[in-house]
Amino acid sequence: EVELRESGGDSVQAGGSLRLSCRIPSYFYRDYCFAWFRQAPGKEREGVAAVITGSDKATYGDSVKGRFTLSQDFDKGTIDLQMNNVKPEDTGTYYCAVDNWFPRCKSGRWRAQDASFHYWGQGTEVTVSS
């Protein structure tokens, strides 16, 4: 059974920072499409950030560009999401996901094709208060 495990969710005030981690199996360390998604109560799931594992170029959803940074730390076995200058609208459950078809991470298509991702974590809760 493939297991992705998120951690780091917490309550934080607007303007603060938070770092989420997703632990992934080592066989995902290269040439898979990895993404962070989030879902707020009553809203559709939204793409936050994505990367082809092992590459150095991440892409971001418009609402988080310039504030969130995705990084790969395979010494720790995780792909992290550094969230800076958080806003109340960043509140939600954050999920990490992996797709076997790495081209999905190109050209932003991953944002609209979350249903195609093969593996998902259980989610970690982020609450941003104003």
Side-chain angles (χ1 to χ4, degrees):
E1 181 180 345
V2 175
E3 184 172 313
L4 309 181
R5 183 168 295 179
E6 304 93 339
S7 62
D10 205 346
S11 297
V12 62
Q13 287 197 322
S17 297
L18 204 57
R19 189 175 185 89
L20 307 183
S21 292
C22 177
R23 182 166 297 279
I24 65 172
S26 60
Y27 46 81
F28 285 151
Y29 287 1
R30 189 166 191 86
D31 294 337
Y32 284 83
C33 179
F34 173 95
W36 282 99
F37 293 91
R38 67 186 182 189
Q39 189 164 22
K43 295 189 176 181
E44 291 189 356
R45 194 158 52 195
E46 175 189 11
V48 176
V51 68
I52 296 174
T53 56
S55 75
D56 60 0
K57 183 170 176 59
T59 57
Y60 299 91
D62 291 340
S63 61
V64 306
K65 278 181 185 175
R67 299 188 298 122
F68 291 10
T69 303
L70 183 153
S71 61
Q72 303 172 77
D73 188 344
F74 296 141
D75 288 339
K76 293 193 319 178
T78 64
I79 297 182
D80 298 343
L81 184 71
Q82 178 65 39
M83 306 167 59
N84 294 331
N85 189 24
V86 295
K87 304 176 181 180
E89 51 263 44
D90 294 323
T91 293
T93 303
Y94 283 69
Y95 300 91
C96 57
V98 172
D99 187 347
N100 290 338
W101 190 58
F102 74 85
R104 199 179 311 281
C105 269
K106 296 182 179 180
S107 304
R109 69 180 74 187
W110 58 274
R111 286 177 244 175
Q113 297 181 357
D114 55 307
S116 297
F117 279 71
H118 296 88
Y119 309 104
W120 290 84
Q122 294 300 305
T124 188
E125 298 284 340
V126 172
T127 302
V128 182
S129 57
S130 56

